[in-house]
Amino acid sequence: MVKQSIFGRISQLAKANINSLLDSAEDPKLMLDQMVRDFTSSIADAESAIAETIGNLRLLEDDYREDVETAGEWGNKALAASRKADQLRTAGDPVGGDKFDNLAKVALGRQLSSEKEAKQAEPQIEAQTAVVEQLKSGLNAMKEKLKQLASKRDELVARSKTAAAQKQVMDAVKSIDLLDPTSEVSRFEDKIRREEARVRGASELAASSLDAQFESLEDLGELSEVDARLAALKAGTITAITN
């Protein structure tokens, strides 16, 4: 029963449609990893079972060859006994002739028995040989399928890594997009522009204050001139201007 189960698994796994199984899987990589483990384990079990099956076949073949050889040996013994019987009869010893003829008959009986056993073993050997060839073929198909699984898994892992790398690059590019008003760069640029505007405002304010100071200086100059003339009038050094 165990062997039949293993042989059934060989047939089932060898015919497995990898692409179809992957299409229905939620996580193809995990499924491929599990399938690789299952195939590896099944191949090991199949190799052990097939080795035992081949061993049983070789035992049948050994027994068959032994039966064939034994049949040949008994045939030679029967022939030798028959010839000895003929010699004794020719020599005038019919009793001895009968004795060896009886021995020849015994040898022929043994020969027939060995030939019968060999004949009965032939279909078993033929059937077992066919089974072994089928199992070898299935095992080779499983090993080839395992290579496909391993290759598919490696391909999937590589594609997954490539996709992750591409996503990382795209995320990095997006994070430094100068046209993105929500990006850090744009916010920093806006901060600089505000600072520049504040500096320009301060400069304008400073310039305005400086003009006011100069205007006050001019006013002071005019007041000083008035005071000087007043002092001169009081001192009599200038006279008032009249019409």
Side-chain angles (χ1 to χ4, degrees):
M1 293 297 294
V2 175
K3 289 184 184 178
Q4 292 299 325
S5 175
I6 293 174
F7 299 157
R9 289 174 65 188
I10 291 175
S11 177
Q12 181 181 4
L13 293 175
K15 295 177 181 179
N17 188 326
I18 298 174
N19 292 327
S20 177
L21 292 173
L22 291 179
D23 289 340
S24 61
E26 293 183 3
D27 191 330
K29 181 182 180 300
L30 290 179
M31 183 173 186
L32 282 172
D33 288 340
Q34 186 60 47
M35 289 177 70
V36 167
R37 288 191 291 269
D38 290 344
F39 266 69
T40 302
S41 176
S42 295
I43 286 174
D45 292 341
E47 286 177 335
S48 177
I50 293 173
E52 184 178 349
T53 303
I54 293 174
N56 292 334
L57 173 60
R58 299 297 175 250
L59 287 176
L60 284 174
E61 291 174 340
D62 290 343
D63 292 341
Y64 174 80
R65 283 191 295 269
E66 184 177 348
D67 288 336
V68 171
E69 291 175 0
T70 300
E73 291 174 357
W74 283 115
N76 291 333
K77 291 178 178 179
L79 179 60
S82 176
R83 288 177 177 175
K84 182 64 174 178
D86 292 341
Q87 290 175 359
L88 291 174
R89 285 195 179 90
T90 302
D93 185 2
V95 176
D98 291 341
K99 175 183 175 181
F100 278 95
D101 276 339
N102 289 332
L103 287 175
K105 289 179 181 180
V106 172
L108 290 172
R110 299 287 180 84
Q111 181 186 35
L112 288 172
S113 178
S114 296
E115 288 177 350
K116 182 179 180 180
E117 291 182 5
K119 193 68 175 177
Q120 290 176 343
E122 287 178 356
Q124 297 180 32
I125 292 174
E126 183 178 354
Q128 196 79 341
T129 299
V131 169
V132 167
E133 292 304 317
Q134 290 177 354
L135 292 176
K136 285 182 178 180
S137 178
L139 182 61
N140 290 334
M142 281 184 63
K143 290 181 178 180
E144 184 61 30
K145 190 74 69 174
L146 178 59
K147 290 181 182 178
Q148 295 177 17
L149 281 171
S151 177
K152 196 74 173 179
R153 179 188 59 186
D154 294 343
E155 175 191 348
L156 193 63
V157 171
R159 286 169 57 188
S160 177
K161 290 182 179 178
T162 300
Q166 289 177 340
K167 183 178 183 301
Q168 185 177 5
V169 171
M170 292 300 295
D171 290 344
V173 170
K174 183 178 179 180
S175 68
I176 61 173
D177 186 1
L178 298 180
L179 298 179
D180 184 0
T182 62
S183 69
E184 292 296 328
V185 174
S186 294
R187 285 196 293 270
F188 184 62
E189 181 183 10
D190 184 65
K191 181 179 179 181
I192 293 175
R193 290 181 61 221
R194 290 180 181 278
E195 182 66 21
E196 291 173 343
R198 189 189 66 78
V199 171
R200 287 200 305 270
S203 297
E204 291 179 9
L205 181 61
S208 176
S209 297
L210 186 61
D211 290 341
Q213 291 176 15
F214 277 113
E215 288 177 359
S216 65
L217 287 176
E218 291 177 357
D219 293 341
L220 289 174
E222 291 180 356
L223 291 174
S224 296
E225 180 65 23
V226 170
D227 290 340
R229 288 193 179 191
L230 178 60
L233 284 174
K234 290 181 177 297
T237 55
I238 61 172
T239 61
I241 299 175
T242 61
N243 291 332

